[in-house]
Amino acid sequence: MRRRSGVRAVGGAAGVVLAVAAGALALAGSPGGASQEDPFPHADHQGLFPVCSGCHAGVADGEPDRYYPPPGQCVGCHDGVDEERVTWTGASARASNVIFEHVDHASELEGAGDAALSCETCHSDLDTGRMSVDGAEELDTCWSCHAHERVDHYEASAADPCVSCHVPLAESGLDGARLRVLPAPEVHAGDEFLLVGHGPSAEAELGRCATCHVQDQCVDCHVDGTQSSIAALPVAPATMDFPPLESSYPVPSTHDVQGFEAAHPVTDGATCSTCHTSDDCASCHLTPLPDVAAGLPSRSESTAPGAALESAAPATHGSFFFVETHATLAAAEPSTCATCHTESYCVDCHDGPSDGGYHPPGFVSLHPSSAFGQAQECASCHNTAAFCRECHQEVGLGSTGRLGPGYHDAEPLFLLRHGQAARQSLESCASCHQQTDCVQCHGVLGAFQVSPHTEDFDARAAWARSPSTCLACHVSNPVGGGP
Amino acid sequence: MMLSRVRWRVGVTATLALSAVAVPRSLFAQGLRGWTGTTIQAVDLRPFQLTSSGCPSSATCYVQGDDVTSVVGTQDLSVTAWGFGPQGLSATLYARGRTGFGSEAPWPRSGDHFDALLAYVQLVRGGWTVRAGRQEIRSGLGFSSFDGGSASWRRGPFNFEGYGGRSLARGLRDPANEALRGIEDFVPDQSIYLWGGSSRVRLRTTSATLRYQREILSDRSGLASERASLDVTAALPRVRFTGAIDWDFGLERLGKSHLTALTPFADGRWTVSATVRRYVPYFSLSTIWGFFEPVSYTETQARVGWSPVSRVGLWMSGGRRSYGDAEVTVVLRPLEDTGWRGEAGGSWAVSSAWRLDGRYEVEWVPGGFLSSADASVRWSPLERVSMAVTGMSLQQIEQFRVGDGRARGVGFSIAADVTDRLSATGGASVLRHSMSDGGLASPWNQSRAWTSVRVRVGEDPGLANRRGEAGR
């Protein structure tokens, strides 16, 4: 009977050791052992206590309140006379995320016919003795029986899930100091885990995530924390001093493709809202935002900061020659431009900028050759009659209705040679001359009645489309019949 | 006719004002974005006068008239407001007022005191966008403004659009028959109606838009224009192509077209592009110009840009132009029908505070020769303040003009972002012209000055890169 109780005591002590060891394992994360300073100098009391259960009686009895001795027990020696007084207010059972009870463990060993474990089996080095407890649990002892089927303690296994030994972290009661040193498994390293790894894992094995994580951590990064896998994670109790995760938003490979900024069609924002707030969208998109963008949480609504995008011109804008090529881009895909630019942005230049800026300095002196050569299409912004001609007339260069020497004096026979120049750059002619100037000679009632049409001119088609214009030069239907 | 224009403008203004008063909750509750800008420009010059007295070698010649100063003030207001209740409903107004300050020589269009450049309400719901009011279509056919309605529908990679209304004169914002009366001959008596549509597809990085647009006189007595265009961009892994072509059904001829291939390489430090371009001017069928059958030219052009280091950018381009057969009998020697153009330039951001820009251009085309250069030094002593000094010089020889001349000019400008929402720019320049062909004309010297203040309201990401910078 005495022997049996002794076995129980040893088994109970071993259970204490295992519990602490397992807890330490969960906290320190190194299967080789944890470094946690022993709050009680066991080595200094070597020889004073014959058995562990003298102080840790509750371990064997399954009474957590008596896992540690009461403070008054120290006063027996540390009375200030024989030994100096100590200030120790007592201890309670350490919180742990390991499902372990010493009594149950001892019973299981006994039921299995295994030998009971001594305290030092787990709590100290067997070679140095029972009182060499230093807080660094001998975790290999645990692994000798409880080793996973895999080498890596953190590797996922359907047959050996975390929940078989661990409670969800939110229920563990671990304090902040211990939470801060929770280990990160190797599989968590690298951006790929964040980008593509952890999501499916969470969907498939939420319990595994819950072993080390709480919902509060997910929404440190996730802008939209309403996903089912996040919502299913336990929330950290208010009393739990949980350190926030440092938010990180690596760029997915899907975003790192040519033209992504211009073409990222989305039908719903569920995927986007993992990392992006509506503020991100607004950094480029004009408000009011598109429906999908407006549906994303705003930065003020989210606990996560989001990727915090800043507007940047797309790659096309960085070209040396963007000014010259933007017209076709705008014509082919105007909605892309409209993402960032208001129409006033276009009109501001194309309707004659009020504060200059488009043309190079001194352009008013440069413009004749540019206008004649049509390197730039003046009519994109300017009305030939209401802008060019009006200005030319103001400075004395507009046509006065007479066709004689003057402006074209540099080319004395210009009138006889003007046909080719006119056909080559009729817009330039129209910037000074009114139509009646030409009709003076080219009209059927004009001085010379010179036809301005080529041999291929289809008079019937012209008459069919715009008879009133034909009548500007022809007094009647030029293709037969009256007007 | 003038009275109807005034009535219409007053009507638009009153409607907008009443709208603002009627829905104040919307203006303040949800969102407002826009800017207002005030600009004053002045130029001092001596206009030409045609005279028959004292001309050295001809019966008439140009001389300089009296010195005149022209000053114009422009007030812009661009506002988009939303939150009128129904989701997706917004209203946009871009209005411009102008006035000349007692100038001897009125600034172009300064007599046109008010323009509603844009004034429409828009509803975006699902894939639909519907607009009503004064709006603008920007396309391969150029800019088309009209008073009317438009609707577009987007689904996946496809977008379809239809629009129609009363056409406004190009480059102006008034009905053509009203805006051009008095300054253009043969202006139609009636309004011109515009309608058109487009279909667009975007597949990965390739976009194509096919557009058809027709303008007819309101009594259906004739066409003003009937055209179609195709614009394509394709961003392949190494090359971006842009191409466009349009067809004028009214004149039964090909209009403008171009194809450009642009490729960056060496991590974007080099950019090379090649362009084949065909140009022929577009004229409304309501004018006689199109029936005079202007010829097109075809230009091949190559460009190279090089950024050896991040702060330096250099570029150059060259092109050869060839005109079509004008099919006219020319007395004595014909004019040239080919031309060349070349341009080179560079910029060097010496530091965050200093920047140098320079450019040289030469053109040798039918009708003239031009050689010009300009350079600027910009200094930004503060993040929000920049100043620039610009110099320019040109030589211009024109076959059909008053003569050949050289000009040299210098200018100064300053720009400041006074606050995040308030920016101001200003500057002045002088240009001295000297004629080189024996006094066929007098020099055309100019002095210019301008100042502009702009205030932004709300957020407009598109304006983020347009904050004040002197020497632009």
Side-chain angles (χ1 to χ4, degrees), chain A residues 80-454:
Chain A
V81 179
D82 296 326
E83 294 290 340
E84 62 179 344
R85 286 188 178 276
V86 293
T87 55
W88 189 62
T89 56
S92 58
R94 295 171 64 191
S96 171
N97 68 338
V98 176
I99 303 171
F100 185 85
E101 289 295 340
H102 292 83
V103 175
D104 296 340
H105 190 258
S107 299
E108 288 170 8
L109 286 176
E110 186 178 357
D114 293 334
L117 299 177
S118 64
C119 296
E120 55 264 42
T121 304
C122 296
H123 288 279
S124 62
D125 192 331
L126 288 172
D127 298 333
T128 56
R130 181 174 53 82
M131 291 300 283
S132 64
V133 172
D134 60 2
E137 291 80 5
E138 300 299 324
L139 297 176
D140 287 343
T141 309
C142 308
W143 302 144
S144 66
C145 292
H146 297 280
H148 292 244
E149 294 173 353
R150 54 204 176 278
V151 174
D152 184 356
H153 177 75
Y154 306 102
E155 189 180 332
S157 168
D160 199 7
C162 305
V163 294
S164 61
C165 293
H166 294 284
V167 297
L169 195 62
E171 300 172 16
S172 69
L174 298 181
D175 60 26
R178 296 166 72 187
L179 291 169
R180 282 178 173 78
V181 295
L182 279 176
E186 288 183 7
V187 294
H188 286 32
D191 290 342
E192 281 303 297
F193 176 74
L194 277 182
L195 289 170
V196 297
H198 81 289
S201 294
E203 295 285 349
E205 301 178 274
L206 192 65
R208 185 173 174 228
C209 303
T211 303
C212 295
H213 296 288
V214 290
Q215 190 184 118
D216 312 57
Q217 288 180 302
C218 302
V219 295
D220 285 335
C221 286
H222 280 264
V223 169
D224 181 6
T226 62
Q227 294 175 40
S228 58
S229 55
I230 295 176
L233 267 184
V235 177
T239 55
M240 207 166 176
D241 177 23
F242 220 98
L245 282 183
E246 185 177 348
S247 57
S248 174
Y249 300 97
V251 179
S253 58
T254 54
H255 292 27
D256 193 21
V257 296
Q258 185 180 18
F260 178 78
E261 73 279 1
H264 47 276
V266 287
T267 52
D268 67 77
T271 306
C272 310
S273 64
T274 300
C275 301
H276 297 291
T277 63
S278 58
D279 302 73
D280 285 343
C281 306
S283 66
C284 286
H285 281 271
L286 287 169
T287 49
L289 295 174
D291 290 348
V292 171
L296 300 186
S298 70
R299 199 166 289 156
S300 60
E301 294 170 337
S302 172
T303 55
L309 298 182
E310 293 182 1
S311 63
T316 53
H317 293 38
S319 163
F320 285 94
F321 316 116
F322 178 68
V323 171
E324 290 81 0
T325 58
H326 81 283
T328 304
L329 294 173
E333 188 55 72
S335 58
T336 303
C337 308
T339 299
C340 304
H341 297 292
T342 62
E343 285 185 285
S344 69
Y345 188 81
C346 310
V347 175
D348 197 20
C349 271
H350 281 280
D351 204 86
S354 55
D355 58 353
Y358 177 74
H359 292 302
F363 184 73
V364 70
S365 297
L366 288 166
H367 84 281
S369 62
S370 295
F372 190 89
Q374 297 141 337
Q376 296 157 315
E377 190 177 350
C378 307
S380 286
C381 308
H382 304 295
N383 184 282
T384 307
F387 185 84
C388 307
R389 197 183 302 154
E390 186 177 348
C391 189
H392 289 164
Q393 287 175 344
E394 288 298 335
V395 298
L397 293 173
S399 165
T400 56
R402 57 177 292 282
L403 296 176
Y407 180 83
H408 296 294
D409 276 356
E411 190 71 21
L413 296 176
F414 182 75
L415 189 62
L416 300 176
R417 304 175 60 200
H418 80 283
Q420 183 183 357
R423 284 229 166 102
Q424 286 180 343
S425 187
L426 203 52
E427 280 175 317
S428 291
C429 305
S431 70
C432 291
H433 291 283
Q434 299 197 24
Q435 296 171 72
T436 48
D437 292 352
C438 305
V439 175
Q440 286 182 51
C441 292
H442 290 286
V444 294
L445 298 179
F448 302 105
Q449 301 179 14
V450 179
S451 171
H453 309 307
T454 64

Side-chain angles (χ1 to χ4, degrees), chain A residues 287 343 383 408 454 465 469, chain B residues 33 120 170 223 293 400:
Chain A
T287 49
E343 285 185 285
N383 184 282
H408 296 294
T454 64
R465 292 183 180 116
T469 307
Chain B
R33 178 189 62 241
Y120 60 81
R170 201 174 192 194
L223 271 176
E293 300 185 86
F400 324 126

